[in-house]
């Protein structure tokens, strides 16, 4: 109550439609919103991570050289392109659709990103041509556009969920949308397991060392295509529901200044009668204020939200460097516990099956639980605490992996796996979830989607550094031991130490981001419903 009183003192009457949303009891529409926004994320994760289940297969099919005596593998530049092009597309999509979502409304743009994802998923499974080069080129082309659509989903899903949610459980709801990513990763692994099993049963083959040419049946070419194309299903299924969701009240009222429409939409959604007194006068006030508001590239924005934006971009960047470099030692982990024998001892389909199984196990044990810990605890202990704690433990466990790295790799496999899993448990019960949530809460409605897109794009830049910079850096300094085609690097141990430093930096940059728990969005961003102006808690006497 004290907070409402404080509001009235400043003449800051919260718009009734927004306070109705803030105070709404958790109802059915909250859960439908989570599912509708979350299915986009489910698809994103499926599409982004399913590539890792089939990269080895693509190498065996298209780059097998009988003279080498080894199973075919993607040359470094092709591997980087196939894995990286979707990340580059995502980065571009986050910036573009984030800006579009503030220009034309969340809802209009939401359908576009989904259609793009459906079309690009199907097309990347249809990659044309028979030569290695033509298949890889078309695959990369469509993976880029797939990434572009996925990128749009980040700012829009987060913004829609934060603007629909009530104050009390907002963090948990946005986290639940993001947690669908965990299920998407699981689904990617599960689909690959079933497809590989089906083909393995239908076309059994000997391991590579027994039958080099025959270990990859020609039908294996369908496996990766089917896995990619199935990614279109969940997105297509939710398209209809996405189109039926009304525009968020905060966009309609605060950005478009159409109070009447916002009130009507939310009365339907909340199934309660919301009345706006003298709404015409209020709407006019909001409209006139809107014309005089500061823009994104202004000294005023910099003064009020500059540090927030620095905080949200830098923490997301540093987190993703560590998060996406995890495939550095994934092969060590899988081989160490005997989940993966060496490539020669498996047939092509057997390899897909085993890699997918190993990924599912990791996702089940550390990825998925981490997300749900966040969902249940974020509105109790707050974003700030979870993010600090996550970065702290990630730094600690990375150091725990790095310092005794050689001894762990050759000796105690169990310790290695536990430390590896804990690192990613605390990434997800930590900055991986909070860096997604906070940018959707800190900024004013008219910049919310844009600023979330900028923060997310900084994250993807980190992902590109993590996935490729560290892939090259982690190569052995010894010429003999590098992976085929790679130059020498600093070795995994040094790379791990560098990652620990990144996590440590993330800890300090978190200090720039305010705690948003339990406050209304307008209060956090300093937007004022009463006069439609922006009066943040004054730091300097204004």
């Amino acid at each position: 109550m004290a907070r409402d009183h404080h509001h009235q003192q400043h003449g800051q009457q919260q718009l009734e439609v927004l306070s109705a949303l803030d105070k709404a009891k958790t109802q059915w529409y909250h859960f439908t919103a989570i599912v509708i926004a979350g299915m986009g994320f489910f698809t994103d994760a499926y599409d982004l991570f399913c590539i890792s289940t089939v990269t080895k297969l693509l190498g065996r099919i298209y780059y097998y050289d009988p003279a080498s005596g080894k199973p075919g593998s993607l040359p470094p530049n092709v591997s980087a392109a196939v894995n990286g092009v979707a990340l580059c597309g995502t980065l571009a999509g986050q910036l573009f659709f984030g800006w579009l979502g503030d220009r034309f409304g969340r809802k209009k743009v939401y359908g576009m990103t989904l259609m793009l994802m459906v079309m690009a998923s199907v097309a990347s499974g249809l990659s044309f041509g028979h030569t290695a080069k033509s298949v890889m080129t078309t695959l990369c082309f469509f993976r880029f556009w797939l990434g572009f659509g996925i990128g749009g989903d980040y700012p829009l899903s987060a913004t829609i969920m934060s603007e629909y949610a009530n104050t009390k459980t907002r963090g948990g709801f946005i986290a639940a949308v993001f947690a669908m990513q965990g299920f998407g990763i699981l689904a990617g692994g599960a689909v690959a397991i079933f497809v590989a099993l089906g083909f393995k049963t239908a076309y059994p083959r000997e391991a590579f060392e027994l039958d080099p040419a025959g270990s990859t049946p020609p039908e294996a070419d369908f496996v990766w295509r089917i896995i990619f194309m199935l990614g279109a299903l969940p997105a297509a299924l939710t398209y209809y529901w996405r189109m039926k969701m009304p525009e968020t009240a905060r966009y309609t009222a605060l950005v478009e200044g159409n109070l009447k429409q916002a009130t009507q939409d939310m009365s339907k959604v909340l199934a309660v009668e919301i009345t706006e007194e003298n709404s015409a006068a209020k709407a006019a006030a909001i409209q006139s204020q809107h014309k005089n508001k500061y823009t994104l590239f202004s000294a005023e924005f910099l003064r009020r939200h500059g540090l927030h934006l620095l905080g949200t971009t830098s923490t997301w960047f540093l987190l993703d460097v560590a998060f996406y470099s995890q495939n550095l030692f994934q092969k060590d982990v899988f081989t160490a516990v005997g989940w993966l024998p060496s490539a020669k001892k498996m047939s092509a389909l057997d390899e897909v099956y085993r890699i997918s199984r190993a990924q599912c196990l990791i996702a089940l044990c550390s990825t998925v639980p981490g997300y749900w810990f966040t969902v249940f605890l974020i509105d109790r202990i707050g974003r700030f605490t979870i993010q600090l704690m996550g970065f702290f433990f990630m730094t600690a466990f990375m150091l725990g992996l790095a310092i005794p790295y050689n001894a762990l790799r050759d000796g105690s496999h169990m310790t290695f796996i536990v430390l590896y899993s804990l690192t990613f448990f605390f990434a997800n019960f930590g900055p991986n979830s909070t860096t997604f949530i906070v940018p959707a809460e800190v900024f004013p409605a008219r910049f919310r989607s844009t600023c979330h897109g900028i923060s997310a794009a900084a994250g993807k830049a980190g992902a590109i550094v993590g996935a490729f910079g560290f892939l090259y850096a982690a190569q052995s300094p010894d010429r003999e031991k590098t992976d085929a085609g790679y130059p020498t690097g600093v070795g995994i141990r040094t790379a791990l130490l560098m990652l620990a430093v990144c996590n440590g930096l993330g800890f300090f940059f978190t200090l720039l981001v305010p705690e948003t728990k339990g406050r209304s969005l307008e209060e956090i961003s300093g937007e004022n419903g009463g006069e439609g102006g922006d009066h943040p808690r004054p730091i300097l006497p204004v």
Side-chain angles (χ1 to χ4, degrees):
M1 287 319 303
R3 188 173 288 134
D4 291 342
H5 175 64
H6 161 80
H7 261 209
Q8 268 122 33
Q9 273 180 327
H10 282 288
Q12 292 191 11
Q13 206 84 44
Q14 169 80 308
L15 283 179
E16 200 157 319
V17 59
L18 302 187
S19 58
L21 272 172
D22 279 341
K23 296 186 188 116
K25 291 201 165 47
T26 301
Q27 337 171 358
W28 187 239
Y29 83 90
H30 285 124
F31 294 107
T32 51
I34 289 175
V35 173
I36 296 166
M39 278 325 267
F41 255 84
F42 177 90
T43 316
D44 297 351
Y46 179 98
D47 290 335
L48 280 180
F49 291 89
C50 70
I51 186 83
S52 55
T53 59
V54 297
T55 322
K56 294 269 195 274
L57 179 67
L58 290 170
R60 286 195 189 225
I61 298 172
Y62 293 104
Y63 290 92
Y64 171 56
D65 169 16
S68 72
K70 283 201 244 158
S73 68
L74 295 179
N77 57 339
V78 177
S79 170
V82 169
N83 282 296
V85 74
L87 294 177
C88 298
T90 307
L91 191 150
Q94 284 161 337
L95 292 170
F96 177 69
F97 286 117
W99 169 77
L100 224 53
D102 281 336
R103 270 304 293 279
F104 299 111
R106 327 310 187 198
K107 178 185 166 164
K108 281 197 184 101
V109 184
Y110 214 20
M112 288 156 61
T113 62
L114 214 54
M115 279 319 334
L116 190 56
M117 279 154 66
V118 171
M119 292 181 330
S121 291
V122 174
S124 51
L126 292 173
S127 306
F128 315 105
H130 288 293
T131 65
K133 194 170 182 187
S134 63
V135 172
M136 290 304 148
T137 310
T138 50
L139 178 61
C140 285
F141 177 77
F142 290 120
R143 292 272 306 165
F144 176 84
W145 289 108
L146 176 63
F148 196 68
I150 287 174
D153 218 45
Y154 275 74
L156 292 165
S157 291
T159 304
I160 284 180
M161 202 61 236
S162 83
E163 293 185 342
Y164 260 110
N166 56 28
T167 315
K168 215 159 81 193
T169 52
R170 187 177 61 231
F173 285 164
I174 308 175
V177 168
F178 194 61
M180 297 296 254
Q181 208 177 30
F183 289 131
I185 297 172
L186 262 185
V191 166
I193 288 177
F194 287 117
V195 174
L197 259 183
F199 275 82
K200 215 166 80 162
T201 320
Y203 309 102
R205 287 291 192 273
E206 297 281 354
F208 181 87
E209 53 188 3
L210 301 172
D211 179 5
S215 68
T216 311
E219 293 81 5
D221 197 41
F222 290 114
V223 170
W224 64 271
R225 295 173 188 271
I226 292 169
I227 292 171
F228 281 160
M229 287 161 101
L230 285 172
L233 265 179
L237 291 174
T238 45
Y239 183 73
Y240 169 73
W241 297 108
R242 273 198 185 186
M243 292 295 86
K244 283 190 66 162
M245 273 177 106
E247 181 54 85
T248 72
R250 289 186 155 92
Y251 186 82
T252 314
L254 297 174
V255 184
E256 291 179 333
N258 186 346
L259 215 56
K260 200 166 156 215
Q261 186 62 49
T263 309
Q264 277 174 2
D265 287 346
M266 289 307 114
S267 296
K268 261 194 229 131
V269 167
L270 294 164
V272 292
E273 197 51 48
I274 305 170
T275 52
E276 283 293 352
E277 324 89 298
N278 60 7
S279 60
K282 274 191 176 177
I286 292 178
Q287 274 311 108
S288 70
Q289 283 292 144
H290 190 58
K291 292 192 181 74
N292 318 331
K293 282 180 176 171
Y294 58 91
T295 56
L296 185 63
F297 299 106
S298 64
E300 184 64 4
F301 177 84
L302 201 65
R303 184 178 76 80
R304 295 177 182 221
H305 298 291
L307 283 177
H308 296 165
L309 193 58
L310 176 63
T312 56
T313 47
S314 56
T315 49
W316 206 336
F317 175 84
L318 291 160
L319 161 85
D320 272 8
V321 171
F323 194 74
Y324 279 83
S325 58
Q326 59 177 318
N327 43 9
L328 294 184
F329 33 78
Q330 215 155 31
K331 8 177 228 290
D332 278 0
V333 174
F334 294 162
T335 325
V337 277
W339 285 345
L340 279 188
S342 69
K344 289 184 175 181
K345 294 194 165 65
M346 298 180 279
S347 69
L349 293 172
D350 195 32
E351 188 170 43
V352 176
Y353 168 72
R354 282 171 185 253
I355 290 175
S356 315
R357 196 181 58 179
Q359 275 196 341
C360 273
L361 278 169
I362 292 265
L364 263 179
C365 300
S366 73
T367 313
V368 175
Y371 286 119
W372 290 98
F373 263 74
T374 307
V375 174
F376 292 120
L377 293 173
I378 189 155
D379 287 308
R380 299 216 177 108
I381 53 184
R383 291 72 166 143
F384 186 71
T385 317
I386 288 184
Q387 190 163 314
L388 275 182
M389 178 197 70
F391 271 129
F392 175 79
F393 282 116
M394 283 172 76
T395 312
F397 291 126
M398 281 276 185
L399 287 172
L401 273 173
I403 294 164
Y405 178 74
N406 297 333
L408 285 177
R409 194 189 53 190
D410 304 330
S412 47
H413 290 165
M414 219 44 235
T415 320
F416 189 88
I417 302 252
V418 170
L419 286 173
Y420 175 80
S421 299
L422 280 170
T423 312
F424 291 100
F425 172 79
F426 279 107
N428 293 320
F429 177 40
N432 194 28
S433 301
T434 52
T435 49
F436 175 77
I437 295 165
V438 175
E441 301 179 316
V442 178
F443 301 103
R446 62 184 190 284
F447 305 133
R448 190 167 287 137
S449 168
T450 309
C451 289
H452 192 288
I454 294 170
S455 308
K460 275 297 163 285
I464 293 165
V465 171
F468 305 107
F470 277 92
L471 194 60
Y472 282 88
Q475 294 299 326
S476 166
D478 176 358
R479 193 84 212 95
E480 300 298 299
K481 293 184 183 161
T482 57
D483 293 343
Y486 284 91
T488 53
V490 293
I492 289 198
R493 184 168 179 261
T494 317
L496 279 173
L497 286 169
M498 287 155 74
L499 288 175
V501 171
C502 283
N503 293 332
L505 284 172
F507 181 88
F508 289 107
F509 276 106
T510 300
L511 303 173
L512 297 174
V513 186
E515 177 56 81
T516 51
K517 177 180 80 158
R519 294 157 63 198
S520 94
L521 292 176
E522 287 65 44
E523 185 192 343
I524 298 164
S525 63
E527 280 171 295
N528 165 11
E531 295 129 37
D534 276 293
H535 301 299
R537 290 154 300 160
I539 305 164
L540 303 163
V542 182

